[in-house]
Structures are given as C-alpha cells and as structure tokens.
Amino acid sequence: MKKILLSFIIVLVSVSASLSAIPASDVSSESIAALLYGNGYSAYVDEDGDVTVEDQYGMDYWIIPYADENRIWIQSGWSAADDVKSSDANRIVNECNNNLFLIRCSYSSMYRTFYCDYDFCYSDSGFDDALLISIIDYFFSQADIYTDYLIGEGMI
C-alpha cells in the first residue's frame, strides 16, 4: 500500500505545473544545497563538492549530482559494531531491502559500514524542486527505519 501511495504522490507532484522547476542545465551541488537550505534543511557543499545534509537527529547524508547522467545520488552510512559478522549483516540488509521502499541498503565488510542510497533520475528538461524535496523527505524517513532496525539488531 505504501508503494502505491508514494507512487501516486510522486506522479501527482511531477504532473502538477510548478513555477519552481530546476532545469537540467542548472542542476549543481550549489543549486541543490540552496534548494535544501531554502526549505529548512541544514545543507552545505562540502570540500569534495558534495551536498552534505544533516537531519534532525544529527545524521549526515550526501547528495551528489551527476549532471552529465541526469541523476542525483543520495547516500548515508553507519559504522558497524565491532562484533558484526558479515553473514548477519548481509541477512539484515536483505531483510531491509525486502521491506523498505525507495532506498537500497548494503553492507561493506571492507569498510565495516552499512549504507543506504537512492538514485534520483530526471529528464533533460530538469525536475520540479518540490519533487526532489519529497523524495529526500521520504528517503530520510526510510533511512530512519533502517537505522532503527540496525540498532535493534545490534549492528551499529
């Protein structure tokens, strides 16, 4: 049901005529940071040129535009607990990927880090900024569920 509702919301927002569309030619770290900051987020462009956003819990997220590919990548990560077995981490990641919508969950045993990410693709004409804000809000809520699950399982 939540997939249908989210799909409906995305279609509704994208179909609505908006005066606040961001043309593809204007998509940059700076324009995304300004959009987020203007919508009440703690956002800035870091030294790597990525947009860093802090949520209400102090968790950092990175938003990286790939203008040549018409996509924006949203990611966050959590350091794993010292005693996490890769097999347990992979089981939990698979459970989360089956139960969460929009985000992709993963675990890197090399870096001992849990990740979640999402690729937001847009057309050559750009995208409605309200759509991106809705996607980011939803991504944060799904990442919170993932975080709670990882904490509950003793993974982080």
Side-chain angles (χ1 to χ4, degrees), residues 31-144:
S31 65
I32 293 170
L35 169 66
L36 292 168
Y37 187 80
N39 280 277
Y41 290 92
S42 174
Y44 62 94
V45 178
D46 66 19
E47 62 277 354
D48 295 330
D50 307 330
V51 179
T52 299
V53 184
E54 186 177 301
D55 72 5
Q56 68 269 24
Y57 305 111
M59 181 72 190
D60 285 336
Y61 297 84
W62 299 276
I63 301 173
I64 305 163
Y66 293 93
D68 56 326
E69 299 174 17
N70 284 12
R71 74 181 177 99
I72 297 169
W73 188 47
I74 308 167
Q75 182 194 44
S76 194
W78 301 260
S79 295
D82 290 335
D83 59 348
V84 170
K85 296 177 187 167
S86 289
S87 59
D88 291 337
N90 291 331
R91 175 186 53 80
I92 289 169
V93 164
N94 287 334
E95 288 175 15
C96 288
N97 280 327
N98 287 333
N99 294 314
L100 297 174
F101 180 64
L102 185 74
I103 70 173
R104 178 182 53 200
C105 305
S106 60
Y107 174 70
S108 169
S109 57
M110 180 188 305
Y111 297 109
R112 298 189 48 76
T113 302
F114 288 92
Y115 296 99
C116 70
D117 61 53
Y118 174 69
D119 277 312
F120 172 73
C121 299
Y122 55 91
S123 71
D124 289 337
S125 61
F127 57 88
D128 182 288
D129 60 1
L131 176 61
L132 181 61
I133 294 297
S134 295
I135 295 280
I136 290 171
D137 285 342
Y138 192 77
F139 181 87
F140 286 1
S141 72
Q142 292 291 282
D144 286 345

Side-chain angles (χ1 to χ4, degrees), residues 6-21:
L6 179 64
S7 297
F8 177 73
I9 291 169
I10 290 172
V11 168
L12 183 63
V13 171
S14 63
V15 169
S16 66
S18 173
L19 299 175
S20 55

